[in-house]
Amino acid sequence: MDAIQTLIDGNIDFEGQRLAERLTTVVLILAGLTAWLLGFFMQDLKYTLYAGLGGTVLTFLIVVPPWPMYNRHPVSWLPAGSRGEEAGEKKGQ
């Protein structure tokens, strides 16, 4: 059950977010360029639309699932309240 919960949660780190954003930009630009060239040389807008849709679906499959490559640098968060209690103790003294 833990593996399923991990997949559903979709945790990624900050470096993973940066990688996902770059991949999204690059794949969509390449898909758009490919779609335009295909439609231009085939002289049919239908090919452009299908290739663009295929590129969008490919981008979705690359970026949206929480692949392990997006969580290579997990962040170690402090326990809840640990910093606030120390600060409150110092103010009260």
Side-chain angles (χ1 to χ4, degrees):
M1 285 303 276
D2 290 336
I4 294 172
Q5 185 65 34
T6 302
L7 286 174
I8 292 172
D9 286 344
N11 294 330
I12 65 172
D13 57 32
F14 295 116
E15 292 298 321
Q17 290 176 355
R18 182 176 295 135
L19 176 62
E21 182 180 356
R22 286 182 183 161
L23 283 173
T24 300
T25 303
V26 169
V27 174
L28 284 177
I29 288 172
L30 290 175
L33 183 62
T34 302
W36 185 83
L37 289 172
L38 182 66
F40 180 77
F41 287 116
M42 299 296 283
Q43 289 295 304
D44 195 348
L45 188 60
K46 178 175 60 174
Y47 293 119
T48 304
L49 295 175
Y50 286 149
L53 181 61
T56 303
V57 169
L58 177 66
T59 304
F60 180 84
L61 292 174
I62 291 172
V63 175
V64 172
W67 300 110
M69 67 182 177
Y70 297 133
N71 201 15
R72 289 186 182 162
H73 308 284
V75 177
S76 299
W77 299 101
L78 293 174
S82 65
R83 297 282 287 186
E85 291 172 4
E86 291 174 10
E89 291 172 4
K90 290 180 183 177
K91 287 181 182 178
Q93 292 179 349

